[in-house]
Amino acid sequence: MLVLGLDPSTTSTGYGLVDGDGRRAATFVDCGCFRPPRNVTFDRRLQVLFDGVSEVLQTHKPDAVAIEGSFYGKDAAAAAKLGEARGVLRLAVTLTGIESVVYSPAEIKKALTGNGQATKESVQYMVAQTLKMKKLPTPLDASDALAIALCHLQRPASSSSEERGRKPEVEALLRRVSSR
C-alpha cells in the first residue's frame, strides 16, 4: 500500500510517500515540501498547496492519505489559517476519490518513538531508521510527513497506537539514541 503523509502548514507543507503492507518493511518513495512564495496573498498560498498536493496525487496515485491533525497553540488566528490549509489539502485528496485519515501530533510521535511528546529530531531519526535511510530526511516538514505515513501503515485497523504499546525494535533504537 502506498501512503501519502501530509504535514499541513501555510508556509511549508511537508509530504512523504511510503510503501508497505504490514508484512514487509516499509520503503521510502519520495518526500518534499510545498512552499508558497512569502510575498503572495493567503489565498494564493492555499492555491499553491492545492496545486502541489494535486500534482503529487496525480503522479504517485497513493492508496491512502494520512494528515496531521490540529496542534492547539495560543494563537487562534494561526490555528484558523492552519485549519484552512488542512481543509484545502483534504479537498484536493477528496477530489481524487480517496478519503483522508487524520492523526494527532501526539499519536504520530507515539507510533514512531513510543513517546507522544518526542522532539521533531527524535521523530526524524526514527523515520530514517524505520525506512533504512542513509541520511536523515530533510527538511523537518518532509520528515514529519513521512512519520505521518508510517503512523498510518503501522496502525492496525482495530486499535489505536496507545493500545499497541512500543515494539521491541523501537525500544532498542530509543535506548541507543538516549545513550548518545
Side-chain angles (χ1 to χ4, degrees):
M1 172 169 38
L2 182 62
V3 179
L4 170 63
L6 294 170
D7 181 28
S9 168
T10 60
T11 57
S12 181
T13 290
Y15 71 90
L17 288 140
V18 175
D19 192 23
D21 65 6
R23 292 173 288 184
R24 59 183 168 82
T27 56
F28 169 80
V29 176
D30 190 20
C31 71
C33 292
F34 312 121
R35 290 190 170 136
R38 293 186 186 273
N39 60 345
V40 298
T41 65
F42 184 71
D43 290 344
R44 177 72 176 115
R45 285 178 177 271
L46 295 176
Q47 182 182 1
V48 169
L49 299 181
F50 181 89
D51 292 346
V53 76
S54 295
E55 183 177 330
V56 168
L57 289 163
Q58 185 177 24
T59 300
H60 293 283
K61 298 182 180 11
D63 301 301
V65 177
I67 300 175
E68 184 176 67
S70 297
F71 171 77
Y72 299 102
K74 295 179 182 179
D75 187 349
K81 286 182 178 182
L82 182 58
E84 288 185 59
R86 185 176 298 103
V88 164
L89 296 172
R90 293 188 79 180
L91 174 62
V93 171
T94 300
L95 291 174
T96 67
I98 301 172
E99 288 191 31
S100 57
V101 179
V102 177
Y103 295 99
S104 72
E107 186 172 10
I108 296 160
K109 291 173 182 181
K110 187 169 177 82
L112 254 67
T113 70
N115 175 2
Q117 301 299 315
T119 65
K120 284 183 167 283
E121 292 77 14
S122 295
V123 171
Q124 181 186 42
Y125 177 81
M126 289 304 296
V127 166
Q129 293 300 305
T130 303
L131 295 174
K132 297 179 179 22
M133 300 173 83
K134 293 181 183 188
K135 293 180 3 181
L136 295 176
T138 57
L140 286 172
D141 299 312
S143 172
D144 287 349
L146 289 168
I148 295 161
L150 286 168
C151 174
H152 184 72
L153 277 178
Q154 294 174 3
R155 182 184 168 103
S158 62
S159 69
S160 70
S161 60
E162 285 82 15
E163 294 167 352
R164 287 194 327 256
R166 288 186 188 163
K167 295 180 180 177
E169 59 270 27
V170 170
E171 287 283 354
L173 283 170
L174 289 172
R175 281 192 299 272
R176 284 196 313 229
V177 169
S178 63
S179 67
R180 290 183 180 187

